[in-house]
């Protein structure tokens, strides 16, 4: 048998480099199962269309009666024992009996069905005086058709009230002029001890009630001061206090 010839040094290095690249590619594939695509996220402080996915599917538009009437606010599914609770701004629930929720709404379609509001949980300080510090509410929903619970269909976000003053949050919401949700991530600041502020463009009317997600958990909703802000570039959320947590617990138990 003729002696085995040694490969040229450059060829050996190329093969080693190729194996390293393959290993890195395999690792990236494994990580991508659990981690979002960083390239898909807009830069901090900028607003872009939210791509479909598990997070966006848990957020939906609120309509008066049905899809024909146009959407006026945003809400998000939150985790509860009976799997039927959404979070939104209190000022979005002035007429709960005629309000329906369309999670994952896009381009005139409700891919996960319509869910009617069956109960609204609002602070007495909101119902009696529309206190902007209490502009966080929860609601129970039931399917317009079918028997599944909304959290069984799209999943639900945990609720996480305790956040640092400069917490970075992601907002997912539906401007009334848009037929798909927008997304913006940025650091927040305290506008007051009871109100949090964020700078994000294009969050115009209709984004009230949009979840403020800190590490994937609802830490607030767009609302509060000035019903969430008078200009699209600056938005607010009431700081989630003990009263909001009590409303959440009531909604989660009552369903």
């Amino acid at each position: 048998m003729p002696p085995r010839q040694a490969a040229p040094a450059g060829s050996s290095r190329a093969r080693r480099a190729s194996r390293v690249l393959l290993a890195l590619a395999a690792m990236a594939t494994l990580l991508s199962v659990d981690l979002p695509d960083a390239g898909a996220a807009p830069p901090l402080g900028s607003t872009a269309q939210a791509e479909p996915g598990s997070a966006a599917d848990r957020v939906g538009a609120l309509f008066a009666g049905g899809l024909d009437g146009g959407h006026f606010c945003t809400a998000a599914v939150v985790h509860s024992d009976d799997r039927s609770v959404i979070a939104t701004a209190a000022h979005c629930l002035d007429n709960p009996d005629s309000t329906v929720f369309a999670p994952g709404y896009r381009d005139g379609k409700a891919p996960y069905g319509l869910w009617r509001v069956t109960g609204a949980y609002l602070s007495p300080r909101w119902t009696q005086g529309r206190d902007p510090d209490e502009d966080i509410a929860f609601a129970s929903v039931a399917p317009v058709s079918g028997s599944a619970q909304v959290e069984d269909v799209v999943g639900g976000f945990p609720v996480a009230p305790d956040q640092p003053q400069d917490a970075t949050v992601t907002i997912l919401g539906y401007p009334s002029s848009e037929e798909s949700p927008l997304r913006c991530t940025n650091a927040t600041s305290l506008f007051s001890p009871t109100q949090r502020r964020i700078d994000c463009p294009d969050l115009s009317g209709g984004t009230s009630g949009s979840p403020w997600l800190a590490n994937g958990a609802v830490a607030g909703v767009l609302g509060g001061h000035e019903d969430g802000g008078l200009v699209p570039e600056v938005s607010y959320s009431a700081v989630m206090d003990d009263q909001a947590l009590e409303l959440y617990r009531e909604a989660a138990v009552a369903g």
Side-chain angles (χ1 to χ4, degrees), residues 171-183:
I171 297 176
L172 294 169
Y174 289 82
S176 298
S177 59
E178 299 282 343
E179 291 297 284
S180 59
L182 300 182
R183 166 181 171 164

Side-chain angles (χ1 to χ4, degrees), residues 74-136:
T74 302
V77 182
V78 293
H79 178 65
S80 64
D81 287 343
D82 82 343
R83 310 179 73 77
S84 65
V85 177
I86 61 174
T88 189
H91 74 263
C92 292
L93 294 176
D94 286 341
N95 299 290
D97 292 343
S98 61
T99 299
V100 295
F101 172 61
Y105 175 79
R106 286 179 187 268
D107 301 322
K109 298 179 180 179
Y112 303 108
L114 291 177
W115 306 76
R116 58 186 176 86
V117 171
T118 57
Y121 300 85
L122 304 96
S123 165
R125 295 202 298 273
W126 175 264
T127 56
Q128 295 168 11
R130 298 182 78 87
D131 182 347
D133 293 341
E134 302 300 332
D135 196 9
I136 296 176

Side-chain angles (χ1 to χ4, degrees), residues 33-50:
V33 172
D34 298 314
L35 298 178
D37 178 7
L44 289 178
S46 65
T47 302
Q49 293 289 326

Side-chain angles (χ1 to χ4, degrees), residues 28 56 114 129 138 220 233:
L114 291 177
F138 298 88
E233 294 78 20

Side-chain angles (χ1 to χ4, degrees), residues 53-225:
S54 59
D57 290 346
R58 296 173 186 175
V59 179
L62 294 180
F63 293 80
L67 298 185
D68 294 339
H71 50 92
F72 62 89
C73 269
T74 302
V77 182
V78 293
H79 178 65
S80 64
D81 287 343
D82 82 343
R83 310 179 73 77
S84 65
V85 177
I86 61 174
T88 189
H91 74 263
C92 292
L93 294 176
D94 286 341
N95 299 290
D97 292 343
S98 61
T99 299
V100 295
F101 172 61
Y105 175 79
R106 286 179 187 268
D107 301 322
K109 298 179 180 179
Y112 303 108
L114 291 177
W115 306 76
R116 58 186 176 86
V117 171
T118 57
Y121 300 85
L122 304 96
S123 165
R125 295 202 298 273
W126 175 264
T127 56
Q128 295 168 11
R130 298 182 78 87
D131 182 347
D133 293 341
E134 302 300 332
D135 196 9
I136 296 176
F138 298 88
S140 56
V141 296
V144 171
S145 61
S147 58
Q149 300 293 353
V150 67
E151 191 178 343
D152 292 328
V153 177
V154 298
F157 296 114
V159 173
D162 297 322
Q163 298 296 326
Q165 294 185 14
D166 59 350
T168 295
V169 305
T170 296
I171 297 176
L172 294 169
Y174 289 82
S176 298
S177 59
E178 299 282 343
E179 291 297 284
S180 59
L182 300 182
R183 166 181 171 164
C184 179
T185 300
N186 208 356
T188 63
S189 60
L190 285 183
F191 174 73
S192 73
T194 55
Q195 296 284 330
R196 194 180 295 277
R197 167 191 164 132
I198 193 171
D199 294 332
C200 277
D202 302 322
L203 297 182
S204 55
T207 57
S208 287
S210 299
W212 290 33
L213 301 172
N215 296 316
V218 174
V221 300
L222 200 154
H225 179 63

